[in-house]
Amino acid sequence: MKPSQRRQRHPGLIFFMVWFALVSVPSGALALSARDLIVVYNRQVPGSPEVASYYAQKRKVPPENLVGVEVSTSENLSRREFDDKLVPPVKALVEKLKIRGRTPAILLVYGIPLRVGGVPITPADRAFTKLATQKVNENQKQVLHLVTRLNRLTPAPPSLPGKPVWKGKPKKMTYPTRKVIDMAQQSFQRGMAYLQKKPATQDTAKPAEINDLLIKLGGVSPEAHALMAKTTRRWQRRFTPRPKRFLGVNQSSEAEVQEDIFRGILPETARKTVAAIRSRRGLLGELRFWYEAQQLYQHPQTMAAVDSEMTLIMADPYQKISWLPNPFNLGFNRLWFINKVRAHTLMVGRLDGPTPAVARRLVDDALAVEKTGLTGVFYIDARGLGGKVEIGNYAWFDHHLIHLYGLVKKYSHMKVVLDKRPTVFPPGSCPDAALYCGWYSLAKYIPAFKWQRGAVGYHVASYEAKTLKHSGSQVWCKRMLEEGVAATLGPVTEPYLHSFPLPDQFFPILMTGRLPLLEVYFCTVPQISWMQLLIGDPLYRPFRKNPAFGR
């Protein structure tokens, strides 16, 4: 497992957002229903049509919502098959249900492959990589020039970022772009803080110059708007800011920039996007955009879980070079335009297992447990990692597991067991297991658990959903399903640590009983068009009868 490559929010803030979202969801007023589900099966795999029919019968999914496709019988699907054979019939039914006023979601069943192959890198992609590199160099020079001027006007300027690198003939001194961005952000914030202080002198020239530099560096972002509101009040009649630079761009253009984030960086739309970014977020925003583009297209990662890639079949064009942010994640609830993005994104789950019998058992367990409620013990397997907790590193994720334990102890009546030893739970040590989250035993399931019927859990490690079929494989998703869990999740290949739902989000929401499994997953999984998938009955609500969180 590789550590996260992108920053995440502080766990305290995350839990506040989760709790706020939960108390605002009325019990029984759930968006997802059986009539919304499109059940997709593979005609070429024995048992696949039967699993689809079984689920439709048990959950009362309309027969016209079942879609048969003819795709690979292996666990891998080529990109061509995905585009030509899997997507078209599903997309057609999605459009039909939307016309009827439904909010479709997709359930892939036993027989649908797990992975979709990579997208070929085109000449246009290679040309765009060169353009992005050129723009990074140009913008970095301009940003450094503005920062140098700004640092002369504000106290305690930061040192230049890292050691310079000498390149080319004649040799030129450059600095790492990531460090330049960090330093420029520090300078911007210090300039804002300077203007918000009461001036010691009557001299208006210096703050006016600082203000002008901040506009060029940070554009008319919300931060710059806040700054201008304060400085205009404080310095009115002493200098006049440039109102057209601020008032000429309205809220809709900022929303357009943010909407583009959810569909990624595309060569054909990049220039239009960057023009809006330059206006709203200045040279620093433009540098960030081109740097991100450069990194993405220099290091493409285009393979994905079929399930995760299916979320965007209504959203073309979108970036296929790497993951994209999941718009259903709770962290985006306050974006005023987010429903527009969500309307073109689909929730996708999977009813699967090593055999058709296992896949059918997941439905039976869900229906049975919903009548009585899930009971048992919650096992949390942290690793007791020391060292500095930095967002995205191993200690950070371990901290989230320990934080989950504290939340369950405080807000739940459910018995919870925490293990902070470096090793995982030993064999036979976890009786009556109803819930589980832990790490790290790579592709080697440890039979520590006696699973309660309807149990839900996941193991945080790479490749744990690489296969559900290979005889003898010990990956956790396959083995947990064989041993009796009703729902789990995992990655089809290396996902990076940041791609897992945070346990102190996923389980508290599940334990309230307010949302079905598929919605819990999409409230918490960070990315789509990436490696994670969810296995289980999408409508499963194990705590509907006896909510176990929020006492």
Side-chain angles (χ1 to χ4, degrees):
M1 172 68 63
K2 297 181 180 179
S4 298
Q5 293 187 335
R6 293 188 178 182
R7 295 181 176 179
Q8 300 283 348
R9 296 179 185 270
H10 187 275
L13 178 59
I14 288 173
F15 181 68
F16 173 79
M17 292 189 299
V18 170
W19 186 251
F20 180 82
L22 284 176
V23 298
S24 65
V25 175
S27 180
L30 304 174
L32 185 64
S33 73
R35 290 190 297 164
D36 296 314
L37 287 174
I38 296 172
V39 183
V40 186
Y41 62 91
N42 191 348
R43 294 193 188 99
Q44 301 196 123
V45 175
S48 184
E50 288 75 18
V51 171
S53 297
Y54 189 80
Y55 184 80
Q57 176 190 358
K58 290 289 186 176
R59 283 296 192 181
K60 296 181 171 55
V61 177
E64 60 269 23
N65 285 18
L66 273 62
V67 179
V69 296
E70 295 183 359
V71 294
S72 172
T73 59
S74 78
E75 293 182 296
N76 296 302
L77 186 66
S78 71
R79 182 65 63 159
R80 176 172 291 183
E81 272 192 295
F82 179 86
D83 291 335
D84 295 346
K85 295 183 177 182
L86 179 57
V87 170
V90 178
K91 187 174 181 179
L93 186 50
V94 169
E95 292 170 341
K96 185 181 296 185
L97 291 182
K98 281 181 172 286
I99 291 173
R100 296 175 184 171
R102 307 305 307 175
T103 304
I106 297 173
L107 178 63
L108 307 175
V109 305
Y110 175 88
I112 299 295
L114 299 175
R115 277 175 302 279
V116 57
V119 179
I121 303 302
T122 67
D125 293 334
R126 286 188 283 270
F128 182 65
T129 306
K130 292 181 180 179
L131 173 65
T133 301
Q134 174 190 333
K135 293 295 185 181
V136 165
N137 293 334
E138 292 174 1
N139 281 271
Q140 183 166 317
K141 290 177 184 177
Q142 296 178 64
V143 166
L144 280 172
H145 175 68
L146 292 177
V147 167
T148 300
R149 290 176 59 191
L150 188 57
N151 288 345
R152 292 196 188 107
L153 299 169
T154 54
S159 59
L160 285 174
K163 295 182 179 179
V165 179
W166 297 89
K167 293 183 177 180
K169 295 181 180 180
K171 292 184 177 180
K172 296 180 180 180
M173 186 174 66
T174 64
Y175 290 92
T177 303
R178 181 69 261 170
K179 296 291 186 180
V180 170
I181 291 172
D182 291 343
M183 184 188 70
Q185 183 63 37
Q186 293 173 22
S187 296
F188 183 84
Q189 292 171 349
R190 191 171 54 256
M192 288 176 59
Y194 177 87
L195 290 186
Q196 291 174 40
K197 293 178 181 177
K198 187 174 181 179
T201 70
Q202 300 299 312
D203 178 22
T204 61
K206 182 177 179 180
E209 185 178 358
I210 292 174
N211 182 79
D212 189 61
L213 290 171
L214 290 176
I215 292 172
K216 292 176 180 177
L217 189 63
V220 287
S221 62
E223 292 86 356
H225 275 298
L227 169 66
M228 285 305 300
K230 292 179 180 179
T231 56
T232 298
R233 290 194 300 268
R234 187 160 288 163
W235 292 89
Q236 55 185 327
R237 295 192 182 92
R238 297 182 182 235
F239 72 96
T240 303
R242 302 177 182 178
K244 291 183 180 180
R245 294 287 296 274
F246 289 92
L247 303 179
V249 183
N250 58 28
Q251 188 181 30
S252 63
S253 64
E254 174 65 17
E256 183 179 335
V257 170
Q258 294 192 41
E259 284 178 44
D260 285 343
I261 293 172
F262 289 94
R263 297 300 174 246
I265 298 175
L266 298 168
E268 58 267 36
T269 60
R271 291 184 183 274
K272 177 185 175 183
T273 301
V274 83
I277 288 175
R278 177 70 172 269
S279 173
R280 296 293 293 177
R281 303 179 183 180
L283 274 168
L284 182 54
E286 185 174 352
L287 176 58
R288 284 195 181 104
F289 174 86
W290 288 119
Y291 178 66
E292 179 76 4
Q294 179 192 44
Q295 296 303 302
L296 284 173
Y297 282 82
Q298 282 183 345
H299 310 287
Q301 301 179 80
T302 61
M303 181 184 289
V306 168
D307 313 43
S308 194
E309 199 71 11
M310 289 288 287
T311 61
L312 290 164
I313 63 174
M314 307 302 292
D316 265 340
Y318 66 90
Q319 168 199 290
K320 299 179 178 70
I321 209 78
S322 186
W323 65 77
L324 290 169
N326 166 30
F328 293 110
N329 189 280
L330 287 174
F332 299 121
N333 276 2
R334 293 186 179 184
L335 294 181
W336 64 272
F337 60 85
I338 197 61
N339 286 339
K340 180 180 176 182
V341 180
R342 289 172 176 172
H344 295 93
T345 314
L346 300 169
M347 295 186 186
V348 182
R350 175 176 290 265
L351 190 72
D352 207 341
T355 66
V358 171
R360 292 193 299 270
R361 193 257 307 161
L362 304 186
V363 189
D364 295 337
D365 287 355
L367 289 168
V369 172
E370 283 179 350
K371 294 177 181 178
T372 60
L374 180 61
T375 59
V377 182
F378 193 161
Y379 290 97
I380 301 172
D381 199 351
R383 295 166 65 184
L385 297 179
K388 187 176 181 180
V389 176
E390 293 183 345
I391 296 175
N393 70 2
Y394 295 134
W396 163 82
F397 196 87
D398 214 51
H399 177 71
H400 279 283
L401 286 167
I402 295 169
H403 184 236
L404 170 63
Y405 172 76
L407 293 176
V408 176
K409 286 287 288 184
K410 185 175 182 179
Y411 296 108
S412 176
H413 56 75
M414 195 170 194
K415 182 180 178 181
V416 58
V417 174
L418 173 67
D419 186 345
K420 295 198 290 184
R421 293 172 294 181
T423 55
V424 295
F425 285 117
S429 62
C430 301
D432 305 318
L435 299 175
Y436 162 74
C437 190
W439 66 335
Y440 178 77
S441 176
L442 177 61
K444 186 179 180 181
Y445 175 78
I446 304 299
F449 312 93
K450 179 66 175 178
W451 297 107
Q452 294 284 85
R453 189 177 193 184
V456 179
Y458 63 92
H459 187 77
V460 178
S462 305
Y463 308 102
E464 300 308 329
K466 182 178 181 180
T467 179
L468 297 178
K469 307 293 191 298
H470 291 176
S471 176
S473 172
Q474 293 297 306
V475 295
W476 281 73
C477 286
K478 172 180 177 289
R479 293 292 292 115
M480 288 173 72
L481 292 168
E482 289 175 333
E483 293 296 319
V485 299
T488 188
L489 62 91
V492 298
T493 185
E494 174 57 60
Y496 302 106
L497 187 57
H498 67 262
S499 72
F500 284 88
L502 290 174
D504 48 355
Q505 286 187 6
F506 180 90
F507 287 101
I509 296 175
L510 181 76
M511 293 165 70
T512 64
R514 291 173 177 259
L515 297 177
L517 179 68
L518 187 63
E519 291 193 72
V520 173
Y521 175 73
F522 273 91
C523 279
T524 57
V525 70
Q527 287 93 26
I528 53 178
S529 189
W530 196 231
M531 305 302 180
Q532 298 285 358
L533 53 78
L534 171 74
I535 304 169
D537 181 346
L539 299 176
Y540 182 31
R541 291 170 61 194
F543 295 96
R544 182 176 62 179
K545 284 285 185 181
N546 59 337
F549 193 83
R551 65 183 182 185

